[in-house]
Amino acid sequence: MTAPTRYAEALLTGMLGTFGLDVEYVRAEKNTLYHLDDSGAEVPVLDLVGGWGSLMLGHNHPEITAYAKELLDTGWPVHSQHSAHPVADRVGAVLNGILAREFPGAEPYSVIFANSGAEAVEAAVKHCEFDRALRVKSLFEEIEWHAGTALTAVRAGTAALPDDTSLLPGDVPAPATADEFQALLGAVAAHNMGRAATSPVFFALERAFHGKLVGSTQFTYNPLFRAAFATLGPAVRFVPPNDAAAFEKAVAEERVTVLDVEVADGRVTLVERAFPVVAGLIVEPIQGEGGIQELTGEFAARVRRICDEIQCPVVVDEIQTGMGRTGKFFASSHIGLLGDYYLLGKSLGGGIGKTSAMLVRQSRYRPEFELVHSSTFAKDGFSTAIALRTLELLEAEDGAAYDRAAERGERILAMLRELAREFPDVVADVRGKGLLIGFEFADQSQASSPVIREKALAGLLVFQLGSYLQLAHRIRTGPTASVPTMLRIEPSIHISDEEIAQLRTGLTEVCRILRHQDALPLVLP
Ligand code: F0G
């Protein structure tokens, strides 16, 4: 039988083909994907990509698939938009219970559902801007009120005219009469209108990954994913992770003020007030795609303080790190980073549904947002019910799943660290938390083997090594586009000691290949 013409991502599939990775998988369970060999027999492959982190509970978890069948068999409504959704509220209740446990004293959070991680990011970005616009509106209403009060007081003779107008640009003379003061208020309003036109700015961290839609790609640091689309989205300023001083400096550079009038000690005075130009800061507690980099508690604390001072919401993107992957439900709880927003995706769909969620602290939540943001598929009956069941499975037995993620992660990390000690010449670093792990090779761009050197120079060595692991050891690992020397390891909590041993065997061979610069197994695995 000839292979069908490729219409769906033919270029990408072709590229995978050059590494022998264009395999069609026909069945999946736990950490194993199966493809068929020429005789039609199943070939198991240990899957450490884990659906880019969407498989905390493994492929086709039996309780989740049984529940999915039950939903379909009983005719559970999948699409019942514009009706009550108590199941969605229960998802919110479970998430709020978890938040209260991991962040004692945290206030309740409202939930907006979406369909993918990037969409949750965009919902948060929109909500941040919606909130900022409403804060701008209140600020101007307040200033207008103050202006009216001051004018009344001046006309009534209960307040003296302002004698200092230096805050207004240009040499504006101090008013000598109530009418001149009224004209001055007009100049203040015009000045403020000019400032109000300042576009909002968002902050994100260098190496960040927040998705690839038109808006979210602006927050994704890697120029490969962003540069071509940079003209399309919101202004995002990147600052280095774990450098709070750099963030503080950048925030200060963005400071914009407007003018207000105050009546103090019987005199009208012009005063400056901060204009909310910074719409939000978005961070991953552990950068995933950016190379498994953890934020420090110190950075988190200082960032929280700086953001509180300027009322800038902190959006914590837990799409990759959340759902217990790092041993706690929210990875940000390891560093005590309390977000104004939390984003969840990936494993929230239990490995079969596609759903994501944006949580907003209720004192910052703008309920009107619900009237301007929606999607046909968001909060659908199927994915939401699956999300609830997934959360129940994770929370069962006092969160045994989180403990297991921590324990399995430690075991894998310990094994990888042993390898790093055995092969310090070829392993640059092992890092991660729980089941979010990176294994970084030393730079091979000066390698004596031409095959290894060329692949390293092209940024494709991990694909070549991944190809070898797949073909010779039946292990699937993931790359990170931002760190071309790193293998990403994100298995489910079901990873067994035998599977960890299988990984050790495969990686030991990879390390030997690099140490001995013996590329033959790479080309003929
Ligand atoms: N935020 C983070 C932290 C992510 O890791 C991802 C996706 C997204 C947002 C976007 O989610 O793909 O559902 O739209 N990360 C994958 C990765 C693709 O490579 O780790 P999405």
Side-chain angles (χ1 to χ4, degrees):
M1 202 173 67
T2 55
T5 307
R6 285 208 177 108
Y7 292 105
E9 297 185 312
L11 172 76
L12 179 64
T13 316
M15 283 164 68
L16 291 172
T18 62
F19 294 103
L21 301 175
D22 59 340
V23 177
E24 185 195 3
Y25 293 104
V26 295
R27 196 167 72 80
E29 71 179 333
K30 290 191 175 174
N31 289 298
T32 308
L33 279 163
Y34 297 88
H35 65 84
L36 301 180
D37 68 12
D38 291 343
S39 70
E42 279 189 343
V43 179
V45 176
L46 172 59
D47 179 17
L48 301 179
V49 178
W52 297 132
S54 60
L55 296 169
M56 259 290 282
L57 293 172
H59 288 279
N60 297 321
H61 187 282
E63 282 187 54
I64 294 175
T65 47
Y67 183 54
K69 284 184 204 163
E70 186 190 317
L71 290 170
L72 298 177
D73 287 344
T74 55
W76 180 251
V78 179
H79 294 290
S80 58
Q81 294 88 340
H82 269 209
S83 63
H85 283 274
V87 175
D89 289 322
R90 281 167 64 198
V91 170
V94 177
L95 290 174
N96 271 286
I98 297 170
L99 273 161
R101 181 178 72 227
E102 296 198 346
F103 300 94
E107 62 180 276
Y109 285 66
S110 293
V111 188
I112 297 279
F113 286 86
N115 301 289
S116 67
E119 208 187 295
V121 169
E122 301 218 353
V125 168
K126 279 179 69 182
H127 191 281
C128 284
E129 177 53 9
F130 195 69
D131 172 48
R132 192 190 72 92
L134 290 172
R135 281 187 285 136
V136 168
K137 187 166 170 274
S138 323
L139 174 65
F140 283 132
E141 279 168 5
E142 223 175 274
I143 291 175
E144 208 179 312
W145 173 258
H146 290 164
T149 315
L151 187 59
T152 310
V154 163
R155 289 208 191 282
T158 56
L161 290 163
D163 54 3
D164 180 1
T165 55
S166 57
L167 288 175
L168 260 179
D171 268 338
V172 180
T177 63
D179 285 348
E180 279 181 26
F181 177 56
Q182 189 166 7
L184 180 81
L185 289 177
V188 165
H191 168 79
N192 286 351
M193 285 319 285
R195 293 287 169 96
T198 315
S199 297
V201 59
F202 285 87
F203 280 94
L205 300 182
E206 290 170 8
R207 296 194 304 250
F209 188 93
H210 297 292
K212 292 181 182 164
L213 295 181
V214 168
S216 49
T217 204
Q218 313 299 335
F219 296 79
T220 289
Y221 183 67
N222 193 333
L224 177 69
F225 304 135
R226 175 172 45 86
F229 315 103
T231 51
L232 297 180
V236 179
R237 191 166 165 180
F238 291 97
V239 288
N242 292 331
D243 184 349
F247 177 58
E248 196 159 22
K249 183 164 169 282
V251 162
E253 284 165 7
E254 298 293 342
R255 186 176 146 85
V256 170
T257 55
V258 287
L259 294 179
D260 195 1
V261 287
E262 243 175 41
V263 181
D265 298 330
R267 178 176 294 283
V268 177
T269 317
L270 289 189
V271 291
E272 275 190 323
R273 297 198 45 192
F275 176 77
V277 71
V278 179
L281 163 72
I282 181 164
V283 300
E284 297 155 88
I286 303 174
Q287 297 185 316
E289 207 284 326
I292 321 294
Q293 304 278 358
E294 294 180 44
L295 294 187
T296 64
E298 191 204 340
F299 178 71
R302 282 192 59 191
V303 153
R304 186 65 265 181
R305 217 169 39 242
I306 297 165
C307 287
D308 283 346
E309 271 164 26
I310 60 164
Q311 282 194 51
C312 162
V314 178
V315 180
V316 181
D317 180 345
E318 293 261 13
I319 289 164
Q320 175 96 235
T321 51
M323 303 295 297
R325 176 162 294 283
T326 68
K328 290 194 171 204
F329 188 89
F330 291 102
S332 47
S333 67
H334 292 293
I335 52 168
L337 175 60
L338 183 66
D340 301 287
Y341 295 60
Y342 288 98
L343 308 179
L344 294 169
K346 300 209 186 228
S347 294
L348 184 61
I352 60 170
K354 292 195 252 186
T355 186
S356 61
M358 171 192 73
L359 287 82
V360 190
R361 186 154 73 82
Q362 277 185 355
S363 57
R364 289 210 84 135
Y365 183 59
R366 302 287 189 169
E368 311 91 308
F369 185 72
E370 296 163 23
L371 310 178
V372 296
H373 182 85
S374 66
S375 154
T376 302
F377 296 124
K379 207 173 71 175
D380 73 283
F382 182 77
S383 309
T384 311
I386 295 293
L388 181 60
R389 182 54 58 93
T390 303
L391 290 169
E392 285 166 357
L393 285 171
L394 289 173
E395 286 283 296
E397 297 167 50
D398 273 342
Y402 314 134
D403 296 341
R404 185 157 169 94
E407 183 273 326
R408 292 284 88 186
E410 268 315 308
R411 189 168 279 239
I412 299 170
L413 280 164
M415 179 279 280
L416 296 176
R417 288 189 183 120
E418 267 177 49
L419 270 185
R421 278 194 294 276
E422 208 179 313
F423 295 94
D425 45 330
V426 301
V427 181
D429 199 11
V430 171
R431 52 183 184 267
K433 202 173 201 74
L435 296 169
L436 182 59
I437 295 172
F439 189 72
E440 190 177 356
F441 294 103
D443 175 41
Q444 292 287 340
S445 59
Q446 310 286 323
S448 60
S449 151
V451 171
I452 294 174
R453 190 173 62 240
E454 274 162 31
K455 291 290 180 217
L457 285 169
L460 293 173
L461 186 61
V462 288
F463 283 92
Q464 195 67 53
L465 301 178
S467 159
Y468 165 77
L469 280 172
Q470 166 117 6
L471 300 177
H473 296 274
R474 292 180 183 166
I475 299 171
R476 222 167 96 82
T477 52
T480 59
S482 301
V483 186
T485 48
M486 174 175 276
L487 287 179
R488 196 159 35 148
I489 298 167
E490 285 188 71
S492 83
I493 56 169
H494 301 296
I495 186 154
S496 66
D497 289 349
E498 294 71 36
E499 289 169 332
I500 296 172
Q502 185 184 346
L503 176 62
R504 182 186 188 122
T505 306
L507 284 178
T508 303
E509 286 311 311
V510 168
C511 290
R512 286 207 183 111
I513 287 169
L514 294 176
R515 173 174 282 174
H516 301 300
Q517 294 287 301
D518 168 21
L520 194 63
L522 295 184
V523 275
L524 290 175

